[in-house]
Amino acid sequence: MIVLGAILLVIGMLVGISLLTTVGGVLVVVGAVLWILGTSGRAVGGRKHYF
């Protein structure tokens, strides 16, 4: 999710499409929050891991 968000963020900035930039930024932030919660051992949605 973080990688997809970063790709969309960069493409949105290069092409100048604000929607891609916004969606990319949201995906990066949400992915980072889920990653931090997962590495801290906190269960998110009843699961401690996503694999």
Side-chain angles (χ1 to χ4, degrees), residues 12 16-23:
I17 301 174
S18 62
L19 180 65
L20 284 180
T21 306
T22 303
V23 171

Side-chain angles (χ1 to χ4, degrees), residues 4-47:
L4 177 64
I7 291 170
L8 288 177
L9 190 66
V10 169
I11 290 174
M13 286 183 179
L14 291 177
V15 177
I17 301 174
S18 62
L19 180 65
L20 284 180
T21 306
T22 303
V23 171
V26 168
L27 284 177
V28 167
V29 169
V30 169
V33 167
L34 289 175
W35 178 51
I36 290 168
L37 288 174
T39 57
S40 68
R42 182 174 178 94
V44 178
R47 302 181 71 184

